[in-house]
mmCIF file of all heavy atoms in Angstrom:
data_model
loop_
_atom_site.group_PDB
_atom_site.id
_atom_site.type_symbol
_atom_site.label_atom_id
_atom_site.label_comp_id
_atom_site.label_asym_id
_atom_site.label_seq_id
_atom_site.Cartn_x
_atom_site.Cartn_y
_atom_site.Cartn_z
ATOM 1 N N ALA A 1 181.595 257.475 185.417
ATOM 2 C CA ALA A 1 181.436 256.026 185.301
ATOM 3 C C ALA A 1 182.568 255.433 184.469
ATOM 4 O O ALA A 1 183.114 254.366 184.796
ATOM 5 C CB ALA A 1 180.085 255.694 184.670
ATOM 6 N N PHE A 2 182.938 256.139 183.417
ATOM 7 C CA PHE A 2 184.069 255.700 182.600
ATOM 8 C C PHE A 2 185.368 255.772 183.403
ATOM 9 O O PHE A 2 186.227 254.892 183.283
ATOM 10 C CB PHE A 2 184.174 256.576 181.357
ATOM 11 C CG PHE A 2 185.341 256.240 180.459
ATOM 12 C CD1 PHE A 2 185.341 255.082 179.685
ATOM 13 C CD2 PHE A 2 186.450 257.081 180.402
ATOM 14 C CE1 PHE A 2 186.417 254.768 178.869
ATOM 15 C CE2 PHE A 2 187.527 256.774 179.586
ATOM 16 C CZ PHE A 2 187.514 255.617 178.820
ATOM 17 N N HIS A 3 185.493 256.798 184.247
ATOM 18 C CA HIS A 3 186.680 256.933 185.096
ATOM 19 C C HIS A 3 186.757 255.764 186.087
ATOM 20 O O HIS A 3 187.840 255.210 186.317
ATOM 21 C CB HIS A 3 186.621 258.261 185.844
ATOM 22 C CG HIS A 3 187.823 258.534 186.689
ATOM 23 N ND1 HIS A 3 189.108 258.597 186.188
ATOM 24 C CD2 HIS A 3 187.946 258.749 188.027
ATOM 25 C CE1 HIS A 3 189.962 258.842 187.166
ATOM 26 N NE2 HIS A 3 189.278 258.935 188.296
ATOM 27 N N ILE A 4 185.617 255.397 186.664
ATOM 28 C CA ILE A 4 185.583 254.258 187.591
ATOM 29 C C ILE A 4 185.945 252.964 186.867
ATOM 30 O O ILE A 4 186.669 252.110 187.396
ATOM 31 C CB ILE A 4 184.186 254.148 188.245
ATOM 32 C CG1 ILE A 4 183.964 255.321 189.205
ATOM 33 C CG2 ILE A 4 184.040 252.822 188.986
ATOM 34 C CD1 ILE A 4 182.581 255.366 189.810
ATOM 35 N N TRP A 5 185.445 252.809 185.635
ATOM 36 C CA TRP A 5 185.783 251.622 184.847
ATOM 37 C C TRP A 5 187.284 251.549 184.594
ATOM 38 O O TRP A 5 187.888 250.474 184.657
ATOM 39 C CB TRP A 5 185.041 251.655 183.518
ATOM 40 C CG TRP A 5 185.465 250.548 182.590
ATOM 41 C CD1 TRP A 5 185.056 249.248 182.598
ATOM 42 C CD2 TRP A 5 186.435 250.652 181.531
ATOM 43 N NE1 TRP A 5 185.694 248.531 181.612
ATOM 44 C CE2 TRP A 5 186.543 249.370 180.936
ATOM 45 C CE3 TRP A 5 187.199 251.699 181.016
ATOM 46 C CZ2 TRP A 5 187.388 249.124 179.864
ATOM 47 C CZ3 TRP A 5 188.043 251.453 179.944
ATOM 48 C CH2 TRP A 5 188.132 250.181 179.381
ATOM 49 N N GLN A 6 187.912 252.690 184.335
ATOM 50 C CA GLN A 6 189.361 252.710 184.132
ATOM 51 C C GLN A 6 190.096 252.279 185.394
ATOM 52 O O GLN A 6 191.104 251.572 185.323
ATOM 53 C CB GLN A 6 189.812 254.118 183.716
ATOM 54 C CG GLN A 6 189.455 254.494 182.287
ATOM 55 C CD GLN A 6 190.003 255.856 181.923
ATOM 56 O OE1 GLN A 6 189.830 256.829 182.657
ATOM 57 N NE2 GLN A 6 190.654 255.953 180.778
ATOM 58 N N ILE A 7 189.597 252.716 186.546
ATOM 59 C CA ILE A 7 190.226 252.319 187.817
ATOM 60 C C ILE A 7 190.073 250.820 188.039
ATOM 61 O O ILE A 7 191.024 250.117 188.403
ATOM 62 C CB ILE A 7 189.605 253.106 188.989
ATOM 63 C CG1 ILE A 7 189.887 254.606 188.840
ATOM 64 C CG2 ILE A 7 190.168 252.600 190.320
ATOM 65 C CD1 ILE A 7 189.193 255.461 189.883
ATOM 66 N N GLU A 8 188.861 250.307 187.786
ATOM 67 C CA GLU A 8 188.601 248.874 187.963
ATOM 68 C C GLU A 8 189.457 248.034 187.019
ATOM 69 O O GLU A 8 189.911 246.942 187.372
ATOM 70 C CB GLU A 8 187.118 248.578 187.720
ATOM 71 C CG GLU A 8 186.187 249.114 188.783
ATOM 72 C CD GLU A 8 186.257 248.312 190.069
ATOM 73 O OE1 GLU A 8 186.859 247.228 190.064
ATOM 74 O OE2 GLU A 8 185.727 248.792 191.096
ATOM 75 N N ALA A 9 189.672 248.542 185.809
ATOM 76 C CA ALA A 9 190.458 247.807 184.814
ATOM 77 C C ALA A 9 191.950 247.993 185.016
ATOM 78 O O ALA A 9 192.760 247.397 184.302
ATOM 79 C CB ALA A 9 190.064 248.248 183.405
ATOM 80 N N GLY A 10 192.325 248.825 185.982
ATOM 81 C CA GLY A 10 193.736 249.062 186.242
ATOM 82 C C GLY A 10 194.411 249.944 185.213
ATOM 83 O O GLY A 10 195.639 249.974 185.121
ATOM 84 N N LEU A 11 193.610 250.689 184.448
ATOM 85 C CA LEU A 11 194.186 251.545 183.413
ATOM 86 C C LEU A 11 194.642 252.887 183.965
ATOM 87 O O LEU A 11 195.425 253.589 183.332
ATOM 88 C CB LEU A 11 193.157 251.779 182.292
ATOM 89 C CG LEU A 11 192.662 250.509 181.579
ATOM 90 C CD1 LEU A 11 191.596 250.857 180.555
ATOM 91 C CD2 LEU A 11 193.837 249.794 180.918
ATOM 92 N N THR A 12 194.131 253.264 185.119
ATOM 93 C CA THR A 12 194.541 254.517 185.740
ATOM 94 C C THR A 12 194.506 254.342 187.247
ATOM 95 O O THR A 12 193.738 253.533 187.777
ATOM 96 C CB THR A 12 193.618 255.681 185.321
ATOM 97 O OG1 THR A 12 194.072 256.890 185.941
ATOM 98 C CG2 THR A 12 192.185 255.421 185.766
ATOM 99 N N HIS A 13 195.338 255.124 187.916
ATOM 100 C CA HIS A 13 195.394 255.037 189.377
ATOM 101 C C HIS A 13 194.290 255.868 190.002
ATOM 102 O O HIS A 13 193.604 255.433 190.918
ATOM 103 C CB HIS A 13 196.763 255.502 189.882
ATOM 104 C CG HIS A 13 196.942 255.301 191.355
ATOM 105 N ND1 HIS A 13 197.013 256.354 192.236
ATOM 106 C CD2 HIS A 13 197.035 254.175 192.109
ATOM 107 C CE1 HIS A 13 197.161 255.887 193.472
ATOM 108 N NE2 HIS A 13 197.180 254.572 193.423
ATOM 109 N N GLY A 14 194.106 257.091 189.465
ATOM 110 C CA GLY A 14 193.005 257.944 189.900
ATOM 111 C C GLY A 14 193.026 258.283 191.372
ATOM 112 O O GLY A 14 191.986 258.396 191.999
ATOM 113 N N SER A 15 194.210 258.451 191.946
ATOM 114 C CA SER A 15 194.311 258.593 193.391
ATOM 115 C C SER A 15 193.745 259.895 193.919
ATOM 116 O O SER A 15 193.085 259.915 194.941
ATOM 117 C CB SER A 15 195.776 258.490 193.815
ATOM 118 O OG SER A 15 196.549 259.475 193.157
ATOM 119 N N ALA A 16 193.983 260.979 193.233
ATOM 120 C CA ALA A 16 193.551 262.264 193.772
ATOM 121 C C ALA A 16 193.239 263.222 192.639
ATOM 122 O O ALA A 16 193.853 263.187 191.594
ATOM 123 C CB ALA A 16 194.638 262.862 194.673
ATOM 124 N N ALA A 17 192.272 264.073 192.883
ATOM 125 C CA ALA A 17 191.910 265.063 191.871
ATOM 126 C C ALA A 17 192.912 266.200 191.881
ATOM 127 O O ALA A 17 193.282 266.705 192.939
ATOM 128 C CB ALA A 17 190.509 265.600 192.147
ATOM 129 N N ILE A 18 193.379 266.591 190.722
ATOM 130 C CA ILE A 18 194.315 267.713 190.623
ATOM 131 C C ILE A 18 193.567 269.022 190.768
ATOM 132 O O ILE A 18 194.036 269.973 191.353
ATOM 133 C CB ILE A 18 195.061 267.672 189.282
ATOM 134 C CG1 ILE A 18 195.887 266.387 189.188
ATOM 135 C CG2 ILE A 18 195.970 268.881 189.124
ATOM 136 C CD1 ILE A 18 196.569 266.204 187.854
ATOM 137 N N SER A 19 192.355 269.078 190.230
ATOM 138 C CA SER A 19 191.569 270.299 190.285
ATOM 139 C C SER A 19 190.099 269.950 190.234
ATOM 140 O O SER A 19 189.698 268.881 189.769
ATOM 141 C CB SER A 19 191.928 271.221 189.121
ATOM 142 O OG SER A 19 191.019 272.307 189.032
ATOM 143 N N LEU A 20 189.272 270.867 190.709
ATOM 144 C CA LEU A 20 187.836 270.656 190.644
ATOM 145 C C LEU A 20 187.298 270.832 189.234
ATOM 146 O O LEU A 20 186.182 270.419 188.943
ATOM 147 C CB LEU A 20 187.128 271.630 191.598
ATOM 148 C CG LEU A 20 187.161 271.228 193.072
ATOM 149 C CD1 LEU A 20 186.540 272.318 193.925
ATOM 150 C CD2 LEU A 20 186.445 269.928 193.302
ATOM 151 N N LEU A 21 188.070 271.460 188.377
ATOM 152 C CA LEU A 21 187.656 271.606 186.984
ATOM 153 C C LEU A 21 188.241 270.456 186.174
ATOM 154 O O LEU A 21 189.368 270.520 185.704
ATOM 155 C CB LEU A 21 188.104 272.958 186.420
ATOM 156 C CG LEU A 21 187.219 274.149 186.774
ATOM 157 C CD1 LEU A 21 187.711 275.410 186.051
ATOM 158 C CD2 LEU A 21 185.771 273.900 186.419
ATOM 159 N N SER A 22 187.469 269.394 186.028
ATOM 160 C CA SER A 22 187.897 268.267 185.205
ATOM 161 C C SER A 22 187.913 268.704 183.748
ATOM 162 O O SER A 22 187.344 269.741 183.400
ATOM 163 C CB SER A 22 186.922 267.100 185.387
ATOM 164 O OG SER A 22 185.623 267.470 184.953
ATOM 165 N N PRO A 23 188.568 267.943 182.870
ATOM 166 C CA PRO A 23 188.551 268.306 181.436
ATOM 167 C C PRO A 23 187.140 268.472 180.894
ATOM 168 O O PRO A 23 186.883 269.378 180.100
ATOM 169 C CB PRO A 23 189.268 267.118 180.785
ATOM 170 C CG PRO A 23 190.187 266.605 181.854
ATOM 171 C CD PRO A 23 189.445 266.795 183.137
ATOM 172 N N LEU A 24 186.214 267.627 181.341
ATOM 173 C CA LEU A 24 184.830 267.750 180.891
ATOM 174 C C LEU A 24 184.209 269.041 181.409
ATOM 175 O O LEU A 24 183.519 269.753 180.667
ATOM 176 C CB LEU A 24 184.013 266.550 181.364
ATOM 177 C CG LEU A 24 182.521 266.594 181.028
ATOM 178 C CD1 LEU A 24 182.313 266.625 179.524
ATOM 179 C CD2 LEU A 24 181.792 265.418 181.660
ATOM 180 N N GLY A 25 184.430 269.346 182.684
ATOM 181 C CA GLY A 25 183.892 270.576 183.256
ATOM 182 C C GLY A 25 184.452 271.806 182.579
ATOM 183 O O GLY A 25 183.726 272.782 182.299
#
């Protein structure tokens, strides 16, 4: 949800996942 908020706010592009293991995972 925070990642989506960053995309909506234009703070990140978020175009594609680099890996299935996110920093949180």
Side-chain angles (χ1 to χ4, degrees):
F2 178 72
H3 183 58
I4 291 175
W5 173 81
Q6 286 183 311
I7 296 174
E8 290 286 349
L11 300 177
T12 181
H13 186 249
S15 58
I18 298 175
S19 170
L20 281 175
L21 279 185
S22 62
L24 177 62

